[in-house]
Amino acid sequence: MLDTEALPGLPRAERVQVVDTWLAGLLDDAVGGTPPPLARRGSAPPRTGTDGLALVAVGSLGRRELPPHGDLDLVLVHDGRPEIAAIADALWYPVWDAGLRLDHSVRSVAEAVAVASTDVKAGLGLLDARLVAGDAELAGRLRTATLSSWRQAASRLLPALRDLRRDRARQVGELAFLLEPDLKEAYGGLREGQVLRAVAAAQLADEPTAEVEAAYAFLLDVRDELRRRTGRPADVLVRQEQRPVAVALGLAGEDDLLREVSLAGRRLAFVADETWRRVEATLVRRPRSRYRRVRREPLADGVVRQGDEVVLARDARPAGDPGLLLRAAAAAARADLLLSPYTLKVLAVHSQPMPEPWPAEVRWSFLRLLASGRSAVPVLEQLDQEGLLSRLIPEWDRVRSLPQRHPWHRFTVDRHLVEAAAAAAELTRDVDRPDLLLVAALLHDIGKGWPGDHSEVGEPIAAAIAARMGFTEADVAIVATLVRHHLLLPATATRRDIDDPATIDRVAETIGCDGAVLQLLHALAQADGAATSASAWSPWKAHLVAALVARVQARLGGVPVEEPAPVLRPTSPQASTPTPDLPGETAPVTVGIRDVADGQEVTIGAPDRPGLLSTCAGVLALNQLDVRAAKITVEGGHATSVFAVRPRFGRAPVPEILADGVRAALEGSLPLAERLRQREADYHQDGARSAPPRISWHNGEVSGAATGIVEVRAGDRAGLLYRLTAAIAGEGLDVTSARIETLGADAVDCFYVANPSGDPVDPEQRRRVDAALVGAMRPAGADTPVAGA
């Protein structure tokens, strides 16, 4: 009897051996317990035992890779034994009785081959066929016939297999860049290792190398530990299981695990991409002669195009030409081609260390490579996979496949840097120094490979790299400044009031009043955002950053300029509702709406009263509107609140509904707090996060009526802005404006606050505001700590 409870804990090879032995015993029992049919007079005696009968494992068991809680994929192969149905029933039922999942079939060799020749999944499975028990000669015939059929049908089946993998990649993503990767189906996962063997079986590619097999084996180990931990057939490496899986594999933590998974996935994906290019080229040449002469076209000194790839010229000498590596890479990217695998190997083996500082010709080739934009990305990946990029920039190893836990980021750190450089290539005509923009884009997050604030840590690292590349001292200083302050513009634009002169002065002082640096920082912010995700660089953020840059540029010009239009501008009312039920107040509530970048601006006019901004924010939240910025002005007892909003579910705000909601909330007939609590329950949001909320004060960065800025970082939830502004108002402070930024599941809300008396916010009042804010963010019955800054 199979001990299914102990089976997952066994090492993989032992687990396969135990299952094989058990299945062999089941086959013997099934054959021995099934009486042979009566022989007809004059016919050959019926066969007994396993003559003409073979139990064959396919899938993971066939590959000797059976994971914990894995399916058993079995084929009962026969050559016409009449009692085969009874034998099959006697074999399958004990497997089901043991609680194992079974994918089974009963086939003759001809039937199996017929299915495999038309169904790519069946054909792929039969390539792994392995005899478990029974007639070895019959199983050998199946193996031989399957391989022959697969090779004959390759021109038809392999394109279908390629399309199948590409579809799954679009649905699941690429293993190397997922925070919770599907180890099996994501592109670069276990399926790629199986596909590479299948292509090799079709004799259209070499067998996978030892490096590829090592990457594949590591992913198998990760999946085994994941399934042991979860106790179920799981293939997605979810966040909560990453640390225990890492510990089980002897790694320091979850980031180390994700990094190793990424490296393995990138290797498998890289080899798979190259293999498919070879397959497609081979299939296109058939049935035409594969010995046709391929034209060679010069691209650069020592570099030629040969067919659809770039190779070295016959007289090229990699050992004596330090510029050849980057000259070839740049030529490939400029031609939108790739270096041939053989050329990559030659360059990896024979290229000499780069002189320091780099010769001008080498630096020029590197810049040409980066300036190629999207075409440079796969070429840089080629250099990276062969270890050539780390030879040029040794610091690259620290960020290679380094995971980024923030949900906004689509890529690991190194790939993000490459993507940022590609995005920067599209902006080179907007700046006076495109070379510095390209290098800064490639290096702006290089500090993430070291402890500490990556902008501060990255500054000297980027300076050292730029100096090694041969840039002048002045240019090195600019690159270092760009890396140090690459977050300055987006962070300021989204978290500070850019209509406040103090904000503009602070930015100008930070960059040293240098207009050229401001220009480069603007382009770098766009490239960084585009390389992160659409959420990270929305039209609204682009609008805010551009407005900030315009204001700083005007400040740096040193000449009187026309006052810039404010970011949030009141809109004429389109709907109004009287407020006769409010004691002593007759002014109506008015609402105006206009379309702006990536959303709408909502202007709400109402009689001034404490907490009005909070009330309006609560009504907007109830109407499924996410607020990104807010500002309130008061004149003659009447307040005008302007909100930049984005509909959460795509439904534009309706002025009449908002006006009615604000009026009802002001008169008390709309219980905002209760309705928002119900909204949280409906969306299963309780605001509880593993990290506590963080509150910080910035009192030296404002001018005008505001006397301080309070910044709150917390888990996002329905009505958060309403709760926070209500808490601030409850402690006697007016909120004059707000900047709201949502980073995945977190919110960063910055409020400009002022005492009605004009006095500064004293420490005791700050303490009370902090406590009120924590209370506003605390779910019912929870005890939420707060982190200060």
Side-chain angles (χ1 to χ4, degrees), residues 4-27:
T4 55
E5 292 186 0
L7 195 62
L10 298 176
R12 189 158 52 239
E14 186 177 345
R15 184 165 56 248
V16 170
Q17 182 60 49
V18 167
V19 171
D20 279 1
T21 302
W22 177 65
L23 289 173
L26 291 183
L27 180 62

Side-chain angles (χ1 to χ4, degrees), residues 330-458:
R334 301 294 287 183
D336 199 15
L337 298 172
L338 291 172
L339 296 164
S340 78
Y342 178 73
T343 296
L344 270 175
K345 295 293 184 186
V346 169
L347 290 170
V349 171
H350 296 290
S351 292
Q352 298 300 304
M354 194 69 69
E356 295 183 14
W358 292 4
E361 182 261 340
V362 172
R363 186 173 65 256
W364 181 79
S365 294
F366 187 62
L367 292 170
R368 277 178 60 85
L369 171 61
L370 297 182
S372 301
R374 297 301 315 164
S375 299
V377 175
V379 176
L380 286 166
E381 180 69 8
Q382 285 190 301
L383 299 184
D384 188 31
Q385 287 295 319
E386 287 299 328
L388 292 166
L389 192 53
S390 293
R391 288 194 204 173
L392 297 169
I393 308 174
E395 298 85 350
W396 196 259
D397 275 337
R398 297 292 292 264
V399 297
R400 191 165 185 258
S401 280
L402 186 65
Q404 303 200 78
R405 290 290 183 178
H406 203 291
W408 270 17
H409 278 281
R410 296 175 293 171
F411 301 112
T412 51
V413 175
D414 58 335
R415 181 58 179 269
H416 168 72
L417 294 176
V418 171
E419 293 283 337
E426 301 177 8
L427 303 169
T428 52
R429 296 184 181 180
D430 299 338
V431 298
D432 295 334
R433 290 297 303 273
D435 54 339
L436 301 185
L437 172 63
L438 292 169
V439 172
L442 185 70
L443 302 178
H444 73 275
D445 277 349
I446 196 70
K448 288 185 176 179
W450 283 260
D453 183 299
H454 76 279
S455 298
E456 296 178 5
V457 174

Side-chain angles (χ1 to χ4, degrees), residues 31-95:
V31 171
T34 303
L38 296 175
R40 295 182 179 180
R41 183 177 299 176
S43 63
R47 288 177 293 177
T48 58
T50 58
D51 183 25
L53 194 65
L55 180 61
V56 172
V58 297
S60 62
L61 183 59
R63 296 187 298 272
R64 299 184 186 276
E65 298 168 359
L66 181 67
H69 311 288
D71 297 354
L72 300 185
D73 296 325
L74 301 171
V75 181
L76 187 59
V77 186
H78 67 99
D79 63 357
R81 288 185 58 158
E83 76 277 27
I84 188 64
I87 293 175
D89 286 343
L91 177 62
W92 306 144
Y93 275 100
V95 178

Side-chain angles (χ1 to χ4, degrees), residues 1-274:
M1 184 66 182
L2 183 67
D3 186 351
T4 55
E5 292 186 0
L7 195 62
L10 298 176
R12 189 158 52 239
E14 186 177 345
R15 184 165 56 248
V16 170
Q17 182 60 49
V18 167
V19 171
D20 279 1
T21 302
W22 177 65
L23 289 173
L26 291 183
L27 180 62
D28 288 340
D29 292 344
V31 171
T34 303
L38 296 175
R40 295 182 179 180
R41 183 177 299 176
S43 63
R47 288 177 293 177
T48 58
T50 58
D51 183 25
L53 194 65
L55 180 61
V56 172
V58 297
S60 62
L61 183 59
R63 296 187 298 272
R64 299 184 186 276
E65 298 168 359
L66 181 67
H69 311 288
D71 297 354
L72 300 185
D73 296 325
L74 301 171
V75 181
L76 187 59
V77 186
H78 67 99
D79 63 357
R81 288 185 58 158
E83 76 277 27
I84 188 64
I87 293 175
D89 286 343
L91 177 62
W92 306 144
Y93 275 100
V95 178
W96 288 321
D97 290 342
L100 299 178
R101 295 185 303 174
L102 175 65
D103 187 354
H104 62 91
S105 62
V106 179
R107 306 261 192 239
S108 67
V109 170
E111 289 170 342
V113 171
V115 172
S117 65
T118 56
D119 185 327
V120 66
K121 290 184 178 180
L124 196 63
L126 280 173
L127 290 175
D128 300 321
R130 179 178 62 84
L131 177 67
V132 173
D135 191 330
E137 189 273 335
L138 180 62
R141 279 196 282 133
L142 173 67
R143 174 74 177 168
T144 301
T146 299
L147 281 173
S148 176
S149 172
W150 180 257
R151 290 164 183 163
Q152 291 175 8
S155 61
R156 179 167 38 83
L157 293 181
L158 287 181
L161 180 57
R162 174 202 59 200
D163 295 343
L164 188 66
R165 290 306 301 144
R166 288 179 177 173
D167 287 344
R168 291 298 292 162
R170 283 189 289 269
Q171 295 170 19
V172 181
E174 192 165 345
L175 181 73
F177 307 124
L178 296 171
L179 291 177
E180 293 188 326
D182 187 323
L183 299 167
K184 181 178 179 181
E185 294 294 349
Y187 193 68
L190 293 169
R191 286 289 190 204
E192 259 53 64
Q194 297 154 21
V195 165
L196 290 174
R197 294 171 187 162
V199 176
Q203 298 181 329
L204 293 177
D206 294 333
E207 290 289 336
T209 64
E211 188 178 19
V212 169
E213 292 291 4
Y216 181 81
F218 175 74
L219 295 181
L220 286 177
D221 292 342
V222 174
R223 184 175 69 171
D224 280 6
E225 291 301 334
L226 173 65
R227 291 190 172 198
R228 287 193 186 100
R229 282 282 311 167
T230 59
R232 56 188 178 84
D235 294 320
V236 178
L237 186 59
V238 294
R239 178 68 181 266
Q240 62 266 29
E241 299 297 342
Q242 289 172 11
R243 175 168 286 277
V245 169
V247 171
L249 293 174
L251 298 171
E254 56 264 47
D255 281 354
D256 298 271
L257 173 63
L258 270 191
R259 189 173 197 172
E260 292 299 323
V261 168
S262 174
L263 289 169
R266 283 175 73 170
R267 190 61 192 172
L268 286 166
F270 177 77
V271 175
D273 287 342
E274 176 57 37

